[in-house]
Amino acid sequence: MYFAALLARTEDGWEASDTELDDVETLSDLTDLAREASVDEDTVLVFIEQEDAWFGVIRVDGEEDPRIYISDASAAARSSYGEILLTDELLGREPGAEDSIAALEELVGLDGTEDGEPDHTTDNDNDNDTDLDDNDDDDGLDADAVPTGPLGDTGVLADLGLPEKELLMLRTDALVEIADALGAAEVLETVR
């Protein structure tokens, strides 16, 4: 189960609204959604939480690039909404790296040989299976490798009242604790 909400800062405090992410397919879509909720290009926070698995905070300040924090990147990678947040930049990859790796994998067959290269199998199938398993572990081309644990801008909420150290300690009911630190617990509760 997911929960998603927008918190827009105004001169009178925070305004909360729940949001549907059904039409959101990219980080740009999510950023545009946040900017639409912005009052005078002030700060907008997008909260996404998957029950007891991970949460993410996306901060949009006017026309600046979004700042992202994810509590558990490996858990988020298994989620369609989490995949939106796990950009190449956030993961430290070159843009389009997945396309390059996919092209390399196409050149290498399942048996570990390049196209047109003879297959050097032995008569002993058990030894061959073991060799293939070892090759799978050592290829180093796992495009889906995502670090376990927090990822992103740990200072995303520091100037709003939630220091990095406290953000890193949050696990369950994190959005309630974040909203409380921001002074927005009551408005968030109205959309929860």
Side-chain angles (χ1 to χ4, degrees), residues 49 172-182 184-185 188-189 192:
E49 180 178 61
T172 58
D173 291 329
L175 300 188
V176 172
E177 292 184 45
I178 291 170
D180 190 43
L182 302 177
L188 182 65
E189 193 58 38
R192 203 155 166 93

Side-chain angles (χ1 to χ4, degrees), residues 127-192:
D127 288 344
N128 192 33
D129 289 345
T130 303
D131 290 342
L132 285 176
D133 289 344
D134 290 344
N135 287 341
D136 288 345
D137 292 340
D138 296 335
D139 65 7
L141 293 177
D142 187 6
D144 297 324
V146 175
T148 301
L151 184 67
D153 186 348
T154 58
V156 68
L157 301 172
D159 65 324
L160 299 175
L162 188 68
E164 293 180 36
K165 186 176 181 180
E166 290 181 31
L167 181 63
L168 289 168
M169 292 171 50
L170 297 177
R171 293 292 173 250
T172 58
D173 291 329
L175 300 188
V176 172
E177 292 184 45
I178 291 170
D180 190 43
L182 302 177
E186 287 182 22
V187 294
L188 182 65
E189 193 58 38
T190 63
V191 298
R192 203 155 166 93

Side-chain angles (χ1 to χ4, degrees), residues 6 9 20 25 27 35 43 63-65 71 80 82-83 95 103 123 134 140 164 176 188 190:
L6 292 169
R9 188 164 62 175
E20 289 294 323
E25 295 179 7
L27 181 58
R35 287 191 178 118
T43 301
E63 293 300 316
E64 293 180 25
D65 288 341
S71 66
S80 58
E83 288 179 346
D123 290 336
D134 290 344
E164 293 180 36
V176 172
L188 182 65
T190 63

Side-chain angles (χ1 to χ4, degrees), residues 2 21 24-28 30 48 50 54 56 58 68 70 72-91 93 98 143-144 146 151:
Y2 288 96
L21 298 178
V24 174
E25 295 179 7
T26 65
L27 181 58
S28 293
L30 191 58
I48 301 174
Q50 184 179 4
W54 67 277
I58 303 89
I68 302 168
I70 301 171
D72 187 337
S74 63
R78 295 185 296 273
S79 155
S80 58
Y81 296 126
E83 288 179 346
I84 292 171
L85 306 181
L86 292 169
T87 63
D88 286 337
E89 182 180 344
L90 192 64
L91 292 169
R93 296 179 185 155
E98 288 185 18
D144 297 324
V146 175
L151 184 67

Side-chain angles (χ1 to χ4, degrees), residues 92-133:
R93 296 179 185 155
E94 289 292 321
E98 288 185 18
D99 296 336
S100 299
I101 290 171
L104 284 174
E105 288 174 343
E106 252 182 58
L107 292 175
V108 178
L110 292 177
D111 61 359
T113 61
E114 291 186 28
D115 288 342
E117 186 177 297
D119 184 6
H120 299 288
T121 58
T122 62
D123 290 336
N124 188 341
D125 287 336
N126 290 339
D127 288 344
N128 192 33
D129 289 345
T130 303
D131 290 342
L132 285 176
D133 289 344

